[in-house]
Amino acid sequence: MRIRSHLAILAVGAMLPVLGFAVLVSVVLLEQDRSTLQRAAMDRARAMMTAIDAELRGSLGTLDALAASASLESGDLRAFRAEATRVLATQPTWTNITLVRPSGEKLVDVGTPEGRPLPRIVDPSSVARAAATGKAAIGSVDTDGASAAAVPIRVPVMQGRDVAYVLTAIVRPDAFEQLIRQQRLPAGWISGLVDASGRFIARIPPRPAGDLSSVAFRTAVMQQPEGWWRGSSVEGRDVYTAHEVSSFSNWSIGLAIPAEVVLGGVRNTALLSALGVLASIVVAVAIVMSSGRRIARPIVALATAARSIGTGQTGPAPVASDVREVREVAAALHDADAAVRERQLLIQREKDALQATDRAKDEFIAALSHELRNPLAAMTAASHILRVVEPTHTAAADARVVIHRQTKHMSRMIEDLLDVSRILMGKANLTIESFDLARLVRNTVDAWQAAGRLAGRVVSVAAEPAWIAADRTRMEQILANLLDNAIKFTTDDTKISVTVTQDDGMAVLCVSDEGPGIAPDLMPRVFEVFVQGKQDVGRSYGGMGVGLTLVKRLTELQQGSIAVTAGAGGVGTAFTLRFPIVAPPIAPSGPQATRGTRVEPRRVLVIEDNPDGREMLRQVLEMSGHQVYDAMNGITGVERALQHRPDVAVVDIGLPDIDGYHVARRIRESTNHDIALIALTGYGQPENKRRAFEAGFDLYLVKPVTIETLDGAIAQVTASGTAASMRTG
């Protein structure tokens, strides 16, 4: 095979993983776009149904007011008809008001002049339903024998405990069409309101009220109260539909989006992907042709020059090439030819040297081939997995991890810069302990001063006590990197300042200098790996651009944050780190529950929404001899507190319905029983603790806690008078 063929294979091999990854990303993005459109359609359908239910409830409210008429209570139907006529005039969407007995006898029909025969009852089944249940009933659209479609809304009129009448408002279907039009649906979208029998009440584009909706829509509504599916509209159009069924009226709303709108992104992405692949192939072929020509020609010339060595001619012809290695080989060939002609006695020795060189080259290539093929084999298998399984499959996740790991392994063979990879990848092992940050800063600066590492710089330290929970060694590493950075960019006549202060519950460490500062264009990327400012020829500032990256990673691993600011006029730099303050350790005072100390069994209520956390807490408390009740939300927890009257309630603050503060207030307000309340939560800010005590909690614990601590807390709050004194104190 020619060199160009090898280059073509290399180009194709390099392109395939990239193209595969591009296709995978395209598929994921398409699925995300489709999911976003689905969620938006479902949200809009819910909003439309909410508006329709509100309209129905408004009509029911008016009917309820009319049902309370004194004339209706006294049986004066003539006076009631006059009052109903006045109400009808105020309701532009109503066409009639009727009054019927539960038996179906129509007594009043405002739309029919007095003395004339009363027309039939619209949707008699809804009359029977309202009379039987004693509750409001929303009827279905009715078009039989009527001049226009009508929708009955009925309320029962109670006299004593019996239904005396059924009062009905007849509503025009087009009243609901206005609610749909207010949504301003895009062109081509379809929305329809359908009654419980599957007939249209209102629709955009319009359809006659009373027409049946599509079979696909009726089937979907019967299967589930809300959903997203693909089917056909009544016109036969291919659409994706979101539907929502009202539990109040049993009506349903449908929002249909043309399939070409939903799938349009797929086509566009497929076209762009195809164009991208074609462009990549064209570029790759062009690069292969160009590179092959530039490499093949000088190699052919080198071959010709090599064949002329030792032939007695004047020497090999010069080889012109912009490839450095080719020029070096050509020069070597000229030297070799001169050596052959000048010293024939050294020919064999030169041959032996060349053979040894060839063997060394072969051994190097063999070793390199072995080291490259191992990760390439793993990457090839992983890429195959990514092609054949779903992106969310466990094997796909494993394959991505393999590709990531093997890529880094190949990079390590080229550069020896990943000694800090574990820290850069956030996998450093941390030993967390509580210590005074101010003391660590003073000790570190004193140690550098004693060791002469400050290089004659003046370093001032102003530190007030601030206890944090962190890895002491890593904090020293962070400070060392910041000091080293400051020393690197300052001279003997400038100053370095290190301060430790407290601010809003945070320990603030600031290292500032009076050096030349950081260029504005470099400031946003100063913590990125290998990012450095401009270097002079002698690289007097040195470094590889990883020190500040390590500082940022180690800070974030220890729940801290870091920011960099430039001094006035661009002179000087300040790095500010913030860590949560913790309480300094104190000697235990008073009796405490420890392992092996028997705690008096209590009745304990656990209110926790996390199933695993709730179950584990219940089991460990039962293992301590307590009788445990549990609840998965705040409302249930309050009910069980009132039902079981426990001695202690352990309450999570972040509950799904009402938070732990409301739970505590309701328990305190609803019972005279002295229930001790313990807040057990992941919120550890002073504001959270203050709110907890104001709500009525006796004790505030921050997760995680040991069973010994929890037993001790239960013993503490259930001790005679302890809970009351804690709340009042």
Side-chain angles (χ1 to χ4, degrees):
M1 293 177 65
R2 293 180 175 273
I3 290 178
R4 292 183 184 179
S5 300
H6 286 285
L7 290 175
I9 294 174
L10 181 62
V12 171
M15 287 171 55
L16 285 178
V18 176
L19 293 177
F21 180 73
V23 171
L24 176 62
V25 171
S26 299
V27 171
V28 172
L29 291 177
L30 285 173
E31 185 60 32
Q32 289 180 346
D33 289 343
R34 186 180 300 179
S35 298
T36 300
L37 185 59
Q38 174 183 344
R39 288 194 298 271
M42 291 299 301
D43 290 343
R44 182 172 284 193
R46 294 188 190 102
M48 294 168 69
M49 182 52 72
T50 300
I52 291 168
D53 285 347
E55 180 73 14
L56 291 174
R57 285 190 171 93
S59 296
L60 287 174
T62 303
L63 283 177
D64 285 335
L66 183 58
S69 169
S71 58
L72 192 60
E73 178 70 22
S74 65
D76 187 354
L77 297 183
R78 181 180 297 276
F80 173 75
R81 176 186 175 89
E83 186 175 351
T85 301
R86 290 193 298 273
V87 171
L88 181 62
T90 66
Q91 301 295 320
T93 62
W94 293 10
T95 62
N96 199 3
I97 297 177
T98 67
L99 183 71
V100 300
R101 293 191 185 277
S103 62
E105 178 188 358
K106 181 178 286 191
L107 302 175
V108 174
D109 189 312
V110 174
T112 302
E114 289 190 79
R116 294 188 179 181
L118 299 181
R120 69 177 183 86
I121 296 175
V122 175
D123 187 19
S125 63
S126 59
V127 174
R129 190 165 65 251
T133 62
K135 296 180 180 179
I138 309 298
S140 299
V141 65
D142 187 293
T143 57
D144 260 352
S147 59
V151 178
I153 301 176
R154 309 186 191 277
V155 296
V157 179
M158 308 298 295
Q159 289 186 355
R161 302 182 64 179
D162 299 325
V163 177
Y165 308 100
V166 175
L167 181 62
T168 303
I170 306 300
V171 182
R172 297 199 316 270
D174 60 1
F176 302 101
E177 182 178 322
Q178 294 301 320
L179 293 177
I180 298 177
R181 290 188 181 278
Q182 290 173 5
Q183 298 296 317
R184 298 182 180 180
L185 301 178
W189 288 30
I190 303 171
S191 181
L193 178 63
V194 178
D195 65 15
S197 62
R199 298 182 179 277
F200 284 119
I201 299 172
R203 186 178 186 270
I204 301 296
R207 296 283 296 190
D211 278 7
L212 277 173
S213 59
S214 67
V215 175
F217 184 86
R218 298 200 303 272
T219 302
V221 168
M222 291 177 61
Q223 290 176 347
Q224 54 186 0
E226 66 175 13
W228 168 264
W229 44 274
R230 185 176 184 179
S232 298
S233 66
V234 292
E235 297 90 352
R237 294 184 61 186
D238 185 14
V239 294
Y240 281 86
T241 302
H243 77 265
E244 180 75 18
V245 180
S246 170
S247 60
F248 171 67
S249 64
N250 209 27
W251 291 358
S252 54
I253 190 79
L255 179 61
I257 306 174
E260 59 267 20
V261 174
V262 178
L263 301 177
V266 176
R267 299 189 183 95
N268 293 337
T269 302
L271 178 60
L272 291 175
S273 298
L275 292 176
V277 170
L278 180 60
S280 300
I281 293 175
V282 170
V283 171
V285 169
I287 293 174
V288 168
M289 295 293 293
S290 175
S291 300
R293 189 180 300 109
R294 294 174 58 190
I295 295 175
R297 287 179 178 176
I299 288 181
V300 171
L302 287 176
T304 302
R307 284 192 291 269
S308 67
I309 293 177
T311 60
Q313 299 177 359
T314 57
V319 177
S321 174
D322 57 356
V323 180
R324 177 180 176 183
E325 288 77 2
V326 171
R327 294 198 302 271
E328 292 176 352
V329 172
L333 291 175
H334 279 278
D335 294 341
D337 180 71
V340 168
R341 288 186 287 106
E342 292 176 0
R343 295 185 295 172
Q344 291 294 329
L345 295 177
L346 297 178
I347 291 178
Q348 189 59 44
R349 187 180 302 172
E350 292 293 334
K351 288 181 179 180
D352 293 341
L354 288 173
Q355 291 175 357
T357 302
D358 286 341
R359 286 194 299 271
K361 179 189 67 175
D362 293 340
E363 292 173 359
F364 169 76
I365 292 176
L368 180 62
S369 174
H370 176 269
E371 292 298 323
L372 289 176
R373 283 173 178 162
N374 281 337
L376 284 175
M379 293 171 67
T380 301
S383 64
H384 172 74
I385 290 173
L386 291 177
R387 289 195 299 271
V388 300
V389 302
E390 294 294 330
T392 57
H393 195 279
T394 303
D398 293 340
R400 288 191 290 270
V401 172
V402 168
I403 292 175
H404 178 71
R405 182 170 59 247
Q406 295 301 333
T407 301
K408 285 189 171 295
H409 175 63
M410 294 178 69
S411 299
R412 281 197 296 270
M413 290 186 292
I414 300 172
E415 299 177 287
D416 190 19
L417 294 176
L418 295 183
D419 289 340
V420 293
S421 61
R422 293 189 62 82
I423 295 178
L424 293 180
M425 294 170 65
K427 296 182 178 180
N429 293 322
L430 301 178
T431 302
I432 304 299
E433 59 178 305
S434 298
F435 59 88
D436 184 3
L437 180 60
R439 179 177 297 179
L440 181 141
V441 167
R442 293 192 192 95
N443 292 343
T444 301
V445 173
D446 290 344
W448 276 50
Q449 183 73 51
R453 296 182 61 184
L454 297 180
R457 306 296 191 272
V458 177
V459 180
S460 64
V461 178
E464 61 179 83
W467 285 76
I468 64 173
D471 187 310
R472 186 186 300 270
T473 301
R474 295 301 187 184
M475 287 301 302
E476 291 176 351
Q477 185 178 1
I478 289 172
L479 181 58
N481 273 286
L482 293 176
L483 287 174
D484 185 62
N485 186 75
I487 292 170
K488 187 186 304 179
F489 290 95
T490 56
T491 59
D492 291 343
D493 57 349
T494 54
K495 180 182 178 182
I496 299 173
S497 298
V498 183
T499 63
V500 177
T501 58
Q502 295 189 27
D503 178 34
D504 193 21
M506 303 293 286
V508 182
L509 168 62
C510 181
V511 178
S512 59
D513 62 65
E514 299 175 349
I518 300 175
D521 60 333
L522 191 63
M523 187 71 75
R525 302 185 301 116
V526 70
F527 293 112
E528 296 179 13
V529 66
F530 304 136
V531 171
Q532 298 186 86
K534 292 184 179 180
Q535 302 275 355
D536 55 22
V537 176
R539 292 186 59 85
S540 58
Y541 295 144
M544 295 186 296
V546 298
L548 293 180
T549 303
L550 291 177
V551 169
K552 178 177 175 61
R553 298 293 178 87
L554 289 173
T555 299
E556 293 173 346
L557 282 175
Q558 299 177 93
Q559 310 305 313
S561 63
I562 184 170
V564 58
T565 55
V571 177
T573 305
F575 291 91
T576 304
L577 292 76
R578 301 173 68 88
F579 297 91
I581 287 179
V582 299
I586 59 175
S589 60
Q592 297 183 354
T594 60
R595 187 179 300 272
T597 301
R598 179 172 178 80
V599 180
E600 181 179 352
R602 298 289 185 179
R603 291 180 299 118
V604 181
L605 171 63
V606 175
I607 306 176
E608 167 65 64
D609 62 318
N610 182 276
D612 292 338
R614 185 175 65 252
E615 177 61 18
M616 292 300 99
L617 192 56
R618 182 185 65 80
Q619 291 189 16
V620 297
L621 287 172
E622 288 180 345
M623 291 170 63
S624 295
H626 302 294
Q627 181 180 353
V628 182
Y629 312 97
D630 59 14
M632 65 183 298
N633 55 54
I635 293 176
T636 305
V638 173
E639 293 174 352
R640 294 191 177 177
L642 301 179
Q643 175 186 0
H644 298 291
R645 304 287 181 161
D647 300 311
V648 183
V650 180
V651 186
D652 185 18
I653 296 298
L655 296 172
D657 47 359
I658 59 173
D659 59 35
Y661 307 127
H662 287 83
V663 171
R665 292 190 184 97
R666 291 191 182 185
I667 291 176
R668 293 292 183 221
E669 293 169 357
S670 303
T671 178
N672 294 325
H673 183 68
D674 190 15
I675 300 177
L677 299 180
I678 299 176
L680 180 60
T681 176
Y683 299 110
Q685 297 299 321
E687 173 65 16
N688 303 123
K689 182 179 292 188
R690 180 189 63 77
R691 291 183 61 191
F693 285 124
E694 289 177 353
F697 280 102
D698 300 308
L699 199 60
Y700 193 90
L701 301 179
V702 179
K703 298 177 180 177
V705 296
T706 64
I707 185 58
E708 292 83 2
T709 301
L710 188 55
D711 275 340
I714 293 173
Q716 181 180 355
V717 298
T718 56
S720 177
T722 300
S725 64
M726 294 177 68
R727 289 194 297 272
T728 57

